[in-house]
Amino acid sequence: MYLHSVGKWQSRAATSHPTAEDYTVDIEISFENASFLEPIKAYLNKLSFPIAENSTGQTTDILSMVVTTVCRPAGTEAWCSCEEGYRWGLERCLHNLTCQGHDSLISGHHCNCLKQLPPKGPFCQLKGAVTLRMSVRLNVDFPEDLKNSSSALYRSYKTDLELAFFQGYSTLSGFKSVTITGFRAGSVIVDYEVTAVSPSPELMHRANEQILQSISQAYRMDYNSFQAFTSNETKLTAIPEVIFEGDTVTVLCENEIFSSNVSWYHVERHMDIQNSSKFSVYTVLLNNITSVSNLTIRNATQDDTGEYICKLTLDIFEYEARKKINVNSMGISANKEMKVMCDNNSVPLECCSEKTGNWSSIEWKQQGGVHIHGTPETDLESGCSKYTIIADVTQCPSGSSGTKVIYTCEFVSVHGARGSENIEVTFTPVGDNSNHTKEVQEFVKNVMETSTVQSTTWSSLKTSKAQEQQANLTITPDPISVSEGQNFSIRCISDMSNYDEVYWNTSAGIKIYKRFYTTRRYPDRAESVLTVKTSTREWNGTYHCIFRYKNSYSIATKDVTVHPLPLESNIMIDPLEVTVPCKGSYSFKCCIKEDEDYKVTFQMDSFFFPAAKEVNEKQVCYKYKYHFITDSVSFCPRNIEMFCHFTNAANNSVRSPSMKLNLIPGKNFTCQDPAIGVGGPGKVIQKLCQFSNVPSIPGSPIGGVITYQCEGSQWMVKRNDCISAEINGLLYLAKALIKSPSQDEKLPTYLHNLSISTGKVEQEISVSTGNLRAIISILDLLSAVPTQVNSEMMTHVLSTVNVILGNPTLSTWKILQQQQTNESSRLLDSVERFTRALQSGDGNILPISQTNVQMRGIVIKTGYSKNYNESFVFSEKDLWGSVVIDESQLESLQPDSTIITVAFPTLKTILAQNAQAKHFARSLVMTTTVSYHLTTPFKISMTFKNSNPSGGVPRCVFWNFNLADGTGGWDSDGCYVKEVKGDIVACACDHLTSFSILMSPDSPDPGSLLKILLDIISYIGLGFSILSLAACLVVEAVVWKSVTKNRTSYMRHICIVNIAASLLVADTWFIVAAAIHDHHYPLNETACVAATFFIHFFYLSVFFWMLTLGLMLFYRLVFILHDASKSNQKAIAFFLGYGCPLIISVITVGATQPQDVYTRKNACWLNWEDTKALLAFIIPALIIVVVNMTITVVVITKILRPSVGDKPNKQEKSSLFQISKSIGVLTPLLGLTWGFGLATVFQGSNAVFHIVFTLLNAFQGLFILLFGCLWDQKVQEALLNKFSLSRWSSQHSKSTSLGSTTPVFSMSSPISRRFNNLFGKTGTYNVSTPETTSSSLENSSSAYSLLN
């Protein structure tokens, strides 16, 4: 332990005229026991100064003793820190390592701690002197003489107080002076200034205590009223310097005072600034010495102009700084009106900003009757942009004179401000202004700023024809200098429209891949534009634009400079996201592959920090160690985003993805790891594999992401998607290749290397989802590159596919499919793209046979007169298949077209595994493609060996890449089963893609006896149902007046009529849907959707009218004293009966039809497999069944267990049972019907469910006629009266008037008698007793009327 202190002595000789001399003495104290430090510091703090010493005739006063530097052991190092009021000199900080790390020093700042004691030079130095504006209150009445500085009282106060202040503040380090500046009322407020080195609060309190001891008690000085103000140490800056309306403004308040108690104030608004949507304030403490407060003003306006005050408070000190901010309007100057002749000459439009700003871009837009685009040329430094347009006669034809287009130039500042100016351009066709055509042309030629490259002509040595006329080419004039990742384009214009070929070459003679350029022909010229959206360093060089017409070549040349800069996707960051405790530090890291001369900084909000470089063989990493002190409650918890910026020599920069640091309070965490962070149970963290503990070869970084989860007290690997170093390198090269100008040249070599590498690392691929996904991504990327693939390249592709489809890899495929369901679909799509690009130079397609993939194909020559017939046999897998295309289909193909078929024995098990449990059939997947796009149906026949013939009914399907939001799935549209013989399934389809077969165990075979039986039952039952429902409606019409004499009876029959009508319409639509249905051809889609919608709607209406019936019964029995009007009841009933079904039906079709998953593929009914849309019918229906059954139970319970005071007789019980009979019978029947219907949807449903569902569904109309209509006693009576059966009717009426409740079937048979007894019928006459009250009669009558 080492301690350094400074002592101040004042020595005088013992003479009559003493002369005082001041000395400063350094004292160094060393001790081994660190516990001695605090007692020594406490002892020095307790000393009262000055201390007088008298020896050898000299009088010495010890004025102060202050500890400046303390060095403590820290491992193998000694950390030397400065005490309050002291700091290391800037030179020491720059040449020595600070305790927080050498990269944490803020440029231009002093530091507080060094990792070693400097061998030479001073210790910690006093901070610079500051002038403190201070005040203190005297608790005495304010005399008026203190306002007069020349009064005796003023001078007396000033002398006494300055003496006391001097005795107290002279003990401060670096003390220079103390001066009273005035007095104010409020008792007596003394204002004074103290000049000294910035003291700590502790030293200031000691000095104030010394003042109280020195001053007379008569002044009654209040110790708690001391205040200090300073502005010397606060630095206030605003970013940007020039502020425009709309900018996001950042005001930084920096102070070398370690406190986060900072407040902001807007002077003009007289407003304390708080966090809001407009303002954001937060304060951070850096390196133990600096407080930085950040005020963010979003979308600045003129109202934000004014003076801002930043005030930091620490104990009695207040540090204040002010900053004036001006928000400017963005002025843009431009020629607002222009006239342009459509004569194919260039005309520049210009606009400039009136104020210099930091612009990020200047964008041009247009709006008008014609679209004439131009070429922008922008100089952001000068704030000007030029937009050159060229209009020809085709763009503004004759008769369109005066067409106006508004061109808008919009300035966008780096900080978010936007401003624009419009230029109105009037276009005039050449023919409409012939008098001025030549004049305008001459003028435009004089101002045209282009560079014309003299064409070079190559003449053919083999022709004797005259040399063809040369074309003059004009190419983009400005030099092209970009950085990697940026875009550029080169425009090459020929003054002749005739050409046979246009292409671009590199200086090495390599042709540029065609997808990088476009060519257009105009009446008087031709144009080719080379466009590169993402440039790489491979684009650095010279490019030739070549127009060929017969044997004449015209060439224009352009140089392109591409400066190195890493792409954002190639910057590897650590951490992705991490959670750490609120106290300590964390290191951020950004790594790239190449070691280039980049300037790298780390950004946190608006703060930028320098990075430390670390080179590790093939990888270069940049680091920054961030320290955080979180004693302040406002700082923790906190989420921090960090970015690293790479800036190249061209001053272009790229920003990495964000690194997220979550600071949380606390000490005890379930899981802790220095690299992974902290977290509680179940917490999930991801890291790039190269920054984890996954083993790898030095210098060969692995790829991918590893996921950890907190389990128990440890971080456990939840998911390992790491990519081995070799495969990661291939993936990196593949991403670079697709951006290369010579990708066609490089692709064959790359595919060769890929097949070799995958063979070498087959074991690693078979156990790693990361490696498997990487290979699939490589094939997916490369399949988009080639326009032509030869047999050798295809062999390498299929060799790679063979490895990843091998049996050892299938278990890894299962894991991969659980994580991301479209990887197998991506693989299949990649293979199809390669096969479509396959071409043969000699007219023959060489067959390729691997263990897990085979390929066959032909080239269609002129006059080809054979069927396409290819067979595939995989003896090890016991699978085979064949493909046949009729000769008549081949005649429609263009000559030299290729037909390729690829067969896979194992791909079936990994395509859409979530569906395999329901539809598994072990068979081949065969994909057939043609080398160009087909626009008409193309019939193909296939034969499959089915290894599981007993698994159900086979279906012919193809892989539809568009299903399930692009994930892909099996689809049967356009395919059907031609024949099934044992384990052989013959299929036919009217299009090409990847085909296979599925088994459908949930539906009967279309040709089976069961299916025929179900069809017969359905049609006969539906016939009975429709006739029954029609009869029900006729009966209701006949007896309507007789049975609707009171309100509840009226509403009850309203419900029965609508139930019958809805079911009648639904059954009619059901027959329409059956007529539309076809197993062998695509459905009439529009008619099918309409039929499904109406079936869904009207079936739902049946259930909701049943619900209405139940709710009305419940209402009449429970709310006895409440009586709603007929119109209200009717409105509610119709809303429930038709409004709710309509809402459900519309939502269902609106949510599913846009994705074409509303109906089933081969039936006009709600989809189940893709969207479970059928639940939109099943769930409401079953809920209504439960509700109605509950109402029935409540009614029966109320009858059997009457409330206190109620004395129900036999008639009441009988009547209430009668009321609930329709609900008790119809609701279970309807619910049971669709309960069996739901059972048929699930896997493995028995044939019994199909039969029962068909029977119940077909005879629902008959049930409603019997139980909802004819079983009603009043309906029976009305019918009998209507048909003049007077004798029976009068007798029956007489018995009824005596209280008879004989049921309609009571005299028929024992079976019907038992059935009626189920609903409270006894088959006997019951006469009401005289004790029956009017209320009970009324209640019974109302409830009865509801269903009768």
Side-chain angles (χ1 to χ4, degrees):
M1 178 66 69
Y2 180 86
L3 181 145
H4 172 262
S5 64
V6 176
K8 283 185 133 184
W9 274 262
Q10 191 177 74
S11 181
R12 297 186 302 276
T15 63
S16 58
H17 301 285
T19 300
E21 296 181 3
D22 289 343
Y23 299 91
T24 300
V25 179
D26 290 340
I27 303 172
E28 299 178 11
I29 305 174
S30 299
F31 43 90
E32 295 181 359
N33 193 339
S35 62
F36 292 166
L37 175 62
E38 293 304 323
I40 292 175
K41 293 172 67 176
Y43 173 77
L44 293 176
N45 288 335
K46 290 179 180 179
L47 293 177
S48 297
F49 298 99
I51 300 174
E53 277 291 331
N54 192 349
S55 61
T56 64
Q58 293 283 335
T59 299
T60 304
D61 292 335
I62 303 176
L63 301 179
S64 65
M65 292 186 67
V66 182
V67 177
T68 65
T69 311
V70 176
C71 294
R72 298 177 178 86
T76 59
E77 301 172 335
W79 285 18
C80 297
S81 59
C82 300
E83 294 294 287
E84 289 287 349
Y86 290 83
R87 62 188 177 190
W88 290 106
L90 181 58
E91 184 179 357
R92 297 291 171 217
C93 296
L94 294 175
H95 292 86
N96 296 275
L97 294 181
T98 64
C99 299
Q100 291 79 16
H102 66 283
D103 57 348
S104 64
L105 179 65
I106 300 177
S107 178
H109 284 67
H110 297 266
C111 56
N112 192 50
C113 180
L114 299 180
K115 284 191 174 181
Q116 60 183 359
L117 187 66
K120 297 180 181 180
F123 296 98
C124 293
Q125 303 296 301
L126 277 171
K127 293 183 178 179
V130 295
T131 299
L132 300 177
R133 293 180 289 107
M134 298 190 64
S135 66
V136 66
R137 184 175 67 252
L138 308 180
N139 291 324
V140 296
D141 293 334
F142 183 80
E144 290 298 321
D145 285 351
L146 289 182
K147 294 181 179 179
N148 183 4
S149 60
S150 61
S151 68
L153 183 61
Y154 184 96
R155 290 196 299 270
S156 174
Y157 265 66
K158 187 174 187 299
T159 300
D160 293 345
L161 291 171
E162 283 186 347
L163 179 60
F165 289 156
F166 181 85
Q167 291 177 353
Y169 294 129
S170 62
T171 61
L172 298 177
S173 300
F175 172 76
K176 292 186 178 181
S177 64
V178 58
T179 305
I180 291 179
T181 59
F183 300 94
R184 291 178 286 125
S187 296
V188 175
I189 305 298
V190 183
D191 294 323
Y192 59 99
E193 292 181 349
V194 178
T195 303
V197 171
S198 181
S200 66
E202 292 81 5
L203 292 177
M204 185 60 74
H205 281 300
R206 287 171 56 187
N208 292 338
E209 291 172 357
Q210 183 69 34
I211 292 171
L212 285 180
Q213 295 175 8
S214 304
I215 195 69
S216 170
Q217 294 297 323
Y219 284 101
R220 299 178 61 188
M221 183 176 289
D222 187 350
Y223 175 78
N224 294 320
S225 66
F226 280 102
Q227 283 186 300
F229 308 90
T230 180
S231 58
N232 296 33
E233 298 190 357
T234 304
K235 179 183 178 183
L236 205 57
T237 56
I239 303 173
E241 294 182 2
V242 179
I243 302 171
F244 294 106
E245 289 181 296
D247 272 334
T248 296
V249 182
T250 301
V251 187
L252 296 179
C253 179
E254 299 180 60
N255 200 316
E256 291 189 17
I257 302 298
F258 199 66
S259 172
S260 60
N261 187 9
V262 179
S263 60
W264 290 82
Y265 185 77
H266 190 198
V267 176
E268 281 70 17
R269 291 184 179 178
H270 307 288
M271 178 183 71
D272 289 319
I273 297 176
Q274 305 292 336
N275 281 317
S276 64
S277 59
K278 179 70 174 178
F279 299 101
S280 175
V281 177
Y282 71 89
T283 303
V284 63
L285 304 176
L286 302 176
N287 302 326
N288 292 335
I289 59 171
T290 303
S291 165
V292 180
S293 185
N294 185 314
L295 167 64
T296 301
I297 308 172
R298 302 182 184 91
N299 193 20
T301 64
Q302 293 287 348
D303 293 337
D304 298 317
T305 296
E307 188 174 37
Y308 289 80
I309 299 176
C310 170
K311 183 183 294 184
L312 182 147
T313 303
L314 178 63
D315 201 86
I316 67 169
F317 296 97
E318 287 189 1
Y319 301 87
E320 181 182 291
R322 296 172 178 252
K323 181 70 176 179
K324 181 76 173 178
I325 289 179
N326 292 314
V327 180
N328 304 291
S329 60
M330 192 182 298
I332 301 174
S333 60
N335 189 358
K336 296 185 178 181
E337 293 184 2
M338 290 190 68
K339 293 184 179 181
V340 174
M341 183 71 65
C342 299
D343 55 2
N344 204 32
N345 287 307
S346 61
V347 177
L349 312 179
E350 293 187 359
C351 64
C352 294
S353 64
E354 296 175 356
K355 291 185 174 64
T356 302
N358 189 5
W359 309 112
S360 65
S361 64
I362 303 175
E363 302 170 359
W364 287 86
K365 303 173 184 177
Q366 62 170 300
Q367 183 179 5
V370 296
H371 295 279
I372 302 176
H373 297 282
T375 304
E377 301 174 32
T378 300
D379 185 355
L380 296 177
E381 291 186 4
S382 65
C384 288
S385 181
K386 181 170 67 174
Y387 193 72
T388 304
I389 56 176
I390 301 176
D392 58 39
V393 293
T394 63
Q395 294 170 309
C396 41
S398 179
S400 62
S401 179
T403 299
K404 295 182 179 180
V405 177
I406 304 297
Y407 289 87
T408 303
C409 68
E410 184 178 40
F411 284 70
V412 182
S413 80
V414 172
H415 300 277
R418 287 179 175 269
S420 62
E421 185 62 64
N422 293 334
I423 303 175
E424 184 182 83
V425 179
T426 303
F427 290 94
T428 304
V430 175
D432 291 353
N433 196 9
S434 57
N435 293 333
H436 300 285
T437 299
K438 294 183 179 180
E439 180 180 342
V440 172
Q441 287 178 341
E442 291 299 323
F443 171 76
V444 173
K445 288 181 180 179
N446 291 333
V447 300
M448 200 168 57
E449 297 179 4
T450 57
S451 60
T452 302
V453 182
Q454 183 64 37
S455 299
T456 305
T457 303
W458 295 343
S459 298
S460 173
L461 299 177
K462 297 180 179 180
T463 182
S464 58
K465 293 183 179 181
Q467 184 178 357
E468 302 293 341
Q469 184 179 358
Q470 301 179 19
N472 294 316
L473 302 185
T474 303
I475 202 164
T476 301
D478 295 338
I480 296 178
S481 177
V482 295
S483 295
E484 285 189 275
Q486 295 180 334
N487 62 75
F488 70 87
S489 62
I490 308 174
R491 187 182 302 272
C492 181
I493 302 173
S494 170
D495 62 356
M496 296 178 61
S497 60
N498 291 333
Y499 63 85
D500 294 328
E501 183 184 14
V502 178
Y503 58 93
W504 293 74
N505 268 4
T506 66
S507 56
I510 300 174
K511 279 190 175 183
I512 303 298
Y513 186 42
K514 289 184 178 180
R515 74 180 181 91
F516 288 111
Y517 60 88
T518 58
T519 303
R520 295 180 63 185
R521 191 194 306 266
Y522 298 96
D524 59 343
R525 61 188 173 92
E527 177 182 276
S528 183
V529 180
L530 174 67
T531 304
V532 179
K533 295 181 179 179
T534 306
S535 59
T536 63
R537 63 190 66 188
E538 287 191 55
W539 287 95
N540 192 68
T542 302
Y543 293 89
H544 305 291
C545 168
I546 302 172
F547 278 76
R548 180 183 67 82
Y549 178 62
K550 296 184 178 180
N551 295 316
S552 177
Y553 293 81
S554 300
I555 305 173
T557 302
K558 192 67 185 176
D559 291 329
V560 175
T561 303
V562 180
H563 301 276
L565 189 67
L567 301 178
E568 179 184 350
S569 58
N570 292 337
I571 302 175
M572 293 153 284
I573 59 173
D574 184 51
L576 299 174
E577 183 172 3
V578 69
T579 302
V580 297
C582 286
K583 192 172 184 179
S585 61
Y586 196 87
S587 293
F588 294 89
K589 185 186 297 184
C590 293
C591 298
I592 56 176
K593 287 185 177 292
E594 295 87 4
D595 184 11
E596 297 287 348
D597 187 18
Y598 298 127
K599 176 187 176 183
V600 182
T601 56
F602 282 81
Q603 177 194 1
M604 182 190 73
D605 297 320
S606 58
F607 303 106
F608 289 85
F609 310 99
K613 185 176 180 181
E614 183 181 89
V615 180
N616 181 16
E617 297 185 12
K618 297 181 180 179
Q619 185 170 262
V620 182
C621 292
Y622 296 86
K623 299 180 180 180
Y624 172 71
K625 192 172 186 181
Y626 176 63
H627 297 264
F628 34 89
I629 303 296
T630 56
D631 296 334
S632 170
V633 176
S634 63
F635 191 84
C636 186
R638 185 173 185 79
N639 298 327
I640 295 173
E641 276 193 316
M642 186 76 76
F643 303 88
C644 57
H645 292 257
F646 289 78
T647 305
N648 62 7
N651 204 29
N652 295 126
S653 63
V654 63
R655 191 177 78 168
S656 73
S658 70
M659 296 168 276
K660 297 180 180 179
L661 178 67
N662 304 319
L663 301 177
I664 59 174
K667 296 181 180 179
N668 299 321
F669 300 97
T670 305
C671 297
Q672 301 186 59
D673 185 272
I676 303 174
V678 302
K683 175 71 174 179
V684 175
I685 292 292
Q686 288 187 326
K687 288 185 74 69
L688 293 184
C689 293
Q690 71 176 89
F691 301 119
S692 67
N693 297 323
V694 178
S696 61
I697 302 173
S700 300
I702 59 177
V705 176
I706 188 168
T707 304
Y708 296 94
Q709 185 170 22
C710 180
E711 297 179 2
S713 60
Q714 292 184 336
W715 289 107
M716 307 297 291
V717 177
K718 179 185 178 184
R719 176 172 164 180
N720 187 341
D721 291 329
C722 294
I723 307 172
S724 66
E726 187 167 1
I727 296 177
N728 189 48
L730 289 171
L731 180 59
Y732 181 84
L733 292 175
K735 292 178 179 178
L737 186 143
I738 63 172
K739 300 181 180 70
S740 171
S742 53
Q743 49 192 247
D744 272 348
E745 303 289 330
K746 295 181 177 182
L747 184 60
T749 302
Y750 182 92
L751 290 175
H752 175 70
N753 295 335
L754 177 64
S755 65
I756 294 175
S757 297
T758 51
K760 289 180 180 178
V761 295
E762 182 175 359
Q763 178 62 28
E764 296 181 22
I765 296 173
S766 65
V767 297
S768 169
T769 57
N771 287 332
L772 182 56
R773 182 183 284 111
I775 296 295
I776 296 169
S777 297
I778 291 172
L779 291 173
D780 188 34
L781 289 170
L782 299 181
S783 62
V785 170
T787 52
Q788 288 188 358
V789 172
N790 57 36
S791 296
E792 184 181 4
M793 295 165 66
M794 198 68 205
T795 301
H796 296 320
V797 170
L798 295 184
S799 295
T800 303
V801 173
N802 181 65
V803 171
I804 63 177
L805 290 181
N807 285 329
T809 316
L810 295 183
S811 58
T812 306
W813 271 107
K814 291 181 180 179
I815 300 173
L816 190 62
Q817 290 298 91
Q818 294 170 0
Q819 299 173 356
Q820 191 170 337
T821 58
N822 71 332
E823 294 302 314
S824 54
S825 184
R826 288 175 63 201
L827 174 63
L828 184 58
D829 190 30
S830 301
V831 174
E832 286 193 14
R833 288 201 295 263
F834 274 117
T835 57
R836 280 193 289 268
L838 179 60
Q839 299 292 329
S840 174
D842 57 2
N844 295 314
I845 301 296
L846 297 177
I848 300 174
S849 295
Q850 302 273 358
T851 306
N852 302 303
V853 61
Q854 293 181 11
M855 188 194 80
R856 306 282 189 275
I858 62 171
V859 179
I860 304 298
K861 298 293 184 182
T862 304
Y864 191 87
S865 59
K866 295 182 181 178
N867 292 342
Y868 175 76
N869 192 339
E870 297 291 346
S871 299
F872 304 88
V873 179
F874 295 87
S875 55
E876 294 182 4
K877 306 289 192 304
D878 190 26
L879 292 174
W880 60 266
S882 63
V883 177
V884 177
I885 301 177
D886 190 76
E887 174 187 347
S888 61
Q889 297 292 315
L890 301 181
E891 291 175 354
S892 63
L893 300 179
Q894 297 177 359
D896 296 325
S897 298
T898 59
I899 301 178
I900 307 295
T901 301
V902 182
F904 309 89
T906 58
L907 185 61
K908 182 67 171 295
T909 62
I910 61 175
L911 277 169
Q913 286 192 355
N914 59 342
Q916 296 306 306
K918 295 187 291 183
H919 303 308
F920 182 75
R922 202 164 73 85
S923 62
L924 296 180
V925 173
M926 296 186 292
T927 177
T928 301
T929 59
V930 174
S931 57
Y932 72 96
H933 181 66
L934 296 173
T935 56
T936 58
F938 193 86
K939 295 181 180 179
I940 180 174
S941 300
M942 292 156 289
T943 304
F944 295 91
K945 161 70 180 301
N946 180 13
S947 296
N948 185 25
S950 61
V953 180
R955 292 170 52 209
C956 298
V957 292
F958 72 96
W959 187 255
N960 188 338
F961 294 100
N962 298 320
L963 288 182
D965 295 328
T967 301
W970 292 113
D971 194 349
S972 58
D973 281 357
C975 295
Y976 63 94
V977 177
K978 291 175 61 178
E979 187 179 19
V980 179
K981 289 184 179 180
D983 61 352
I984 300 174
V985 180
C987 296
C989 296
D990 61 4
H991 52 81
L992 297 181
T993 183
S994 300
F995 302 95
S996 188
I997 59 173
L998 295 179
M999 306 304 289
S1000 298
D1002 305 330
S1003 59
D1005 186 349
S1008 65
L1009 179 62
L1010 175 61
K1011 182 64 170 66
I1012 296 172
L1013 176 64
L1014 292 177
D1015 286 343
I1016 293 174
I1017 294 173
S1018 295
Y1019 285 108
I1020 294 176
L1022 282 173
F1024 275 116
S1025 182
I1026 291 173
L1027 291 175
S1028 299
L1029 291 169
C1032 180
L1033 294 175
V1034 170
V1035 169
E1036 286 289 339
V1038 170
V1039 304
W1040 184 260
K1041 291 184 179 181
S1042 301
V1043 297
T1044 58
K1045 293 181 179 180
N1046 59 58
R1047 187 177 303 165
T1048 51
S1049 179
Y1050 174 81
M1051 291 306 303
R1052 184 255 176 184
H1053 284 278
I1054 284 286
C1055 292
I1056 292 296
V1057 167
N1058 281 282
I1059 288 172
S1062 296
L1063 189 57
L1064 177 62
V1065 177
D1067 286 346
T1068 304
W1069 275 105
F1070 193 90
I1071 293 175
V1072 173
I1076 296 173
H1077 181 276
D1078 191 328
H1079 287 287
H1080 303 298
Y1081 298 100
L1083 303 177
N1084 185 327
E1085 193 170 319
T1086 304
C1088 188
V1089 170
T1092 302
F1093 175 81
F1094 286 113
I1095 292 172
H1096 184 203
F1097 170 68
F1098 284 108
Y1099 272 139
L1100 275 181
S1101 296
V1102 173
F1103 278 94
F1104 273 92
W1105 277 108
M1106 288 296 299
L1107 175 65
T1108 304
L1109 199 60
L1111 292 177
M1112 291 179 67
L1113 171 63
F1114 185 77
Y1115 166 75
R1116 297 304 302 169
L1117 290 177
V1118 176
F1119 301 97
I1120 297 173
L1121 300 179
H1122 187 274
D1123 192 15
S1125 66
K1126 183 188 291 186
S1127 59
N1128 288 342
Q1129 292 184 36
K1130 200 172 178 181
I1132 294 172
F1134 274 89
F1135 175 77
L1136 281 175
Y1138 293 118
C1140 293
L1142 182 62
I1143 292 172
I1144 296 172
S1145 303
V1146 170
I1147 290 176
T1148 305
V1149 70
T1152 57
Q1153 181 56 27
Q1155 288 77 38
D1156 198 24
V1157 285
Y1158 176 57
T1159 63
R1160 302 186 182 189
K1161 297 301 178 185
N1162 286 310
C1164 294
W1165 186 224
L1166 295 173
N1167 189 293
W1168 173 259
E1169 292 183 356
D1170 298 317
T1171 60
K1172 302 293 186 292
L1174 182 59
L1175 293 178
F1177 172 73
I1178 295 293
I1179 291 176
L1182 296 184
I1183 289 175
I1184 291 172
V1185 170
V1186 173
V1187 170
N1188 277 359
M1189 292 306 298
T1190 304
I1191 291 174
T1192 304
V1193 172
V1194 170
V1195 171
I1196 295 173
T1197 303
K1198 187 172 180 64
I1199 296 172
L1200 296 178
R1201 297 181 181 179
S1203 59
V1204 176
D1206 193 8
K1207 297 179 180 179
N1209 55 32
K1210 292 183 179 180
Q1211 182 192 357
E1212 287 176 313
K1213 292 183 180 180
S1214 178
S1215 297
L1216 291 173
F1217 275 121
Q1218 174 69 14
I1219 292 168
S1220 58
K1221 69 182 181 182
S1222 288
I1223 297 175
V1225 173
L1226 290 179
T1227 298
L1229 282 174
L1230 290 176
L1232 193 63
T1233 298
W1234 290 101
F1236 281 103
L1238 180 62
T1240 63
V1241 174
F1242 296 106
Q1243 173 193 356
S1245 59
N1246 196 284
V1248 175
F1249 289 106
H1250 291 271
I1251 295 173
V1252 174
F1253 170 64
T1254 304
L1255 283 170
L1256 292 177
N1257 187 46
F1259 290 97
Q1260 284 183 104
L1262 185 60
F1263 297 149
I1264 290 175
L1265 174 65
L1266 293 177
F1267 299 111
C1269 184
L1270 296 181
W1271 202 11
D1272 187 332
Q1273 185 175 348
K1274 287 190 176 182
V1275 171
Q1276 298 164 20
E1277 294 174 357
L1279 287 173
L1280 290 173
N1281 290 331
K1282 195 75 176 175
F1283 293 103
S1284 301
L1285 298 178
S1286 57
R1287 182 179 177 183
W1288 193 94
S1289 176
S1290 63
Q1291 292 176 354
H1292 193 76
S1293 299
K1294 182 177 180 181
S1295 65
T1296 303
S1297 67
L1298 295 175
S1300 174
T1301 58
T1302 305
V1304 67
F1305 300 135
S1306 64
M1307 298 298 147
S1308 53
S1309 69
I1311 295 176
S1312 63
R1313 191 176 299 115
R1314 290 183 182 180
F1315 188 77
N1316 282 281
N1317 288 339
L1318 178 65
F1319 292 94
K1321 303 296 181 180
T1322 62
T1324 61
Y1325 293 94
N1326 297 301
V1327 181
S1328 60
T1329 62
E1331 289 81 4
T1332 304
T1333 63
S1334 62
S1335 63
S1336 65
L1337 285 173
E1338 182 182 352
N1339 293 343
S1340 297
S1341 176
S1342 298
Y1344 182 84
S1345 299
L1346 183 62
L1347 293 180
N1348 291 275

